[in-house]
C-alpha cells in the first residue's frame, strides 16, 4: 500500500510537471486595427455638432421656429386685388371691374393667438430638448474620453503584471524540475499566471470597446471607420 501511494504521488507529480511544462499561452486574435484618436478632449467636444442626435434636435428647433412664424402670420392683414372682365354680349358692352381688398383679422384673432401660443410652447420644448441633448452629449464625450485614456494606462499596467507572472512561472517551473519547489507552489504560480492573463485580456478588450464608443459619441463612427482595417 505504501508503495502504491508513493507511485500515485510520483504519477501526480509527473502529470503536474507535464501540464506546467506544456501550458499554452493563448492570445487574443486581434486583426482589426483601431486607429488612435487624433483629437484632444476639447476637439472631441467640438465634434459634437456632427452627431446625428444634435443635428436632429437642431432640425426640430428650426421646424418649430417656422411654425411660430406661420402662426404669427395669422395676425397680419390680408391685401389682394379682385378683378373681373365681362365680354360684350348682345347689347351689353364689355366691362372691367377691379377692387382693392384690405382685410383685418378682427374676429379670428383669438384663434390665431391660441395657435401662436401653442407653436411657441412647442418651440420652447424644442429649445430645451436641444439644450439637454448638447449637455448630455458633452458629459458623454468627457466620460468616454476619460475612460479610454485611463484604459490605456490600465492595459499597460496589466501587461507589465502579465510579463512578471510569465517570468515568475518560468523560474518556478525550472525550480520544480530541479526539485527546489513543490507542486503546490507550481500550481499556485500557474493559477496566478492564468489570472494575470485574464485580467490583461479583459482590460485590452474593454479599451478597444471604449475606443469604438468614443468614435460613436463624437460622431466619428460609422462614417469615419473607413480608415480602420
Amino acid at each position: 500500500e505504501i508503495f502504491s501511494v508513493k507511485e500515485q504521488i510520483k504519477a501526480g507529480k509527473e502529470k503536474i510537471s507535464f501540464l506546467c511544462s506544456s501550458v499554452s499561452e493563448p492570445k487574443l486574435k486581434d486583426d482589426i486595427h483601431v486607429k488612435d484618436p487624433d483629437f484632444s478632449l476639447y476637439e472631441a467636444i467640438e465634434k459634437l455638432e456632427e452627431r446625428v442626435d444634435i443635428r436632429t434636435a437642431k432640425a426640430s428647433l428650426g421646424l418649430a421656429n417656422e411654425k411660430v412664424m406661420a402662426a404669427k402670420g395669422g395676425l397680419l392683414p390680408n391685401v389682394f386685388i379682385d378683378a373681373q372682365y365681362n365680354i360684350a354680349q348682345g347689347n351689353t358692352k364689355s366691362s372691367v371691374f377691379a377692387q382693392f381688398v384690405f382685410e383685418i383679422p378682427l374676429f379670428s384673432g383669438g384663434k390665431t393667438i391660441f395657435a401662436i401660443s401653442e407653436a411657441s410652447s412647442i418651440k420652447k420644448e424644442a429649445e430645451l430638448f436641444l439644450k439637454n441633448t448638447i449637455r448630455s452629449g458633452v458629459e458623454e464625450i468627457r466620460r468616454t474620453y476619460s475612460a479610454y485614456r485611463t484604459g490605456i494606462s490600465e492595459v499597460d499596467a496589466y501587461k507589465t503584471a502579465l510579463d512578471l507572472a510569465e517570468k515568475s512561472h518560468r523560474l518556478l517551473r525550472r525550480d520544480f524540475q530541479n526539485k527546489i519547489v513543490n507542486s503546490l507552489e507550481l500550481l499556485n504560480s500557474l493559477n496566478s499566471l492564468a489570472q494575470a492573463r485574464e485580467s490583461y485580456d479583459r482590460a485590452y478588450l474593454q479599451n478597444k470597446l471604449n475606443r469604438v464608443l468614443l468614435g460613436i459619441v463624437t460622431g466619428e463612427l460609422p462614417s469615419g471607420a473607413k480608415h480602420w482595417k
Side-chain angles (χ1 to χ4, degrees):
E1 292 182 0
I2 295 176
F3 177 77
S4 176
V5 171
K6 288 182 177 179
E7 286 297 316
Q8 290 179 6
I9 293 175
K10 181 179 179 181
K13 288 182 177 180
E14 290 177 352
K15 289 181 180 180
I16 293 174
S17 178
F18 172 76
L19 290 174
C20 293
S21 62
S22 62
V23 172
S24 61
E25 298 183 359
K27 294 183 179 180
L28 292 174
K29 183 180 180 181
D30 183 16
D31 54 1
I32 299 178
H33 174 66
V34 180
K35 181 181 178 182
D36 292 332
D38 55 357
F39 47 82
S40 63
L41 176 59
Y42 175 79
E43 292 172 334
I45 294 176
E46 290 294 318
K47 290 178 177 288
L48 192 65
E49 301 293 329
E50 302 176 11
R51 285 175 47 149
V52 175
D53 55 345
I54 301 298
R55 296 202 303 265
T56 302
K58 286 187 174 183
S60 298
L61 179 57
L63 181 60
N65 281 324
E66 293 179 0
K67 289 183 177 180
V68 171
M69 295 298 295
K72 289 181 177 180
L75 295 177
L76 300 176
N78 296 321
V79 179
F80 60 91
I81 298 176
D82 184 18
Q84 182 178 356
Y85 175 74
N86 296 321
I87 302 175
Q89 294 180 354
N91 297 328
T92 305
K93 297 180 179 180
S94 61
S95 61
V96 178
F97 172 78
Q99 62 178 349
F100 182 80
V101 181
F102 183 82
E103 294 181 346
I104 300 177
L106 295 177
F107 300 102
S108 61
K111 183 178 179 180
T112 302
I113 291 175
F114 175 78
I116 294 174
S117 177
E118 185 178 18
S120 298
S121 177
I122 295 175
K123 176 185 175 182
K124 289 181 180 179
E125 291 179 0
E127 290 174 341
L128 181 61
F129 178 73
L130 175 59
K131 182 179 179 180
N132 290 336
T133 303
I134 292 176
R135 183 173 64 249
S136 62
V138 171
E139 293 175 354
E140 194 174 24
I141 289 176
R142 290 183 183 276
R143 182 174 61 253
T144 308
Y145 192 90
S146 176
Y148 172 71
R149 288 303 180 188
T150 302
I152 294 177
S153 300
E154 291 180 353
V155 170
D156 292 340
Y158 280 118
K159 184 62 171 64
T160 300
L162 175 59
D163 292 341
L164 291 175
E166 290 177 343
K167 181 179 180 181
S168 175
H169 182 67
R170 284 195 301 269
L171 293 175
L172 276 174
R173 191 171 61 189
R174 183 196 62 188
D175 292 343
F176 178 78
Q177 293 173 347
N178 295 329
K179 298 182 179 181
I180 299 176
V181 298
N182 56 40
S183 58
L184 181 59
E185 291 175 301
L186 186 62
L187 286 175
N188 288 337
S189 173
L190 184 61
N191 183 57
S192 298
L193 176 59
Q195 291 179 352
R197 182 176 291 115
E198 180 182 358
S199 297
Y200 169 74
D201 289 345
R202 185 184 295 110
Y204 181 83
L205 289 175
Q206 183 61 52
N207 196 53
K208 279 292 185 74
L209 176 59
N210 289 340
R211 175 63 186 99
V212 174
L213 292 175
L214 179 61
I216 293 174
V217 300
T218 56
E220 180 187 14
L221 296 180
S223 60
K226 58 185 178 182
H227 57 274
W228 293 11
K229 300 180 179 179

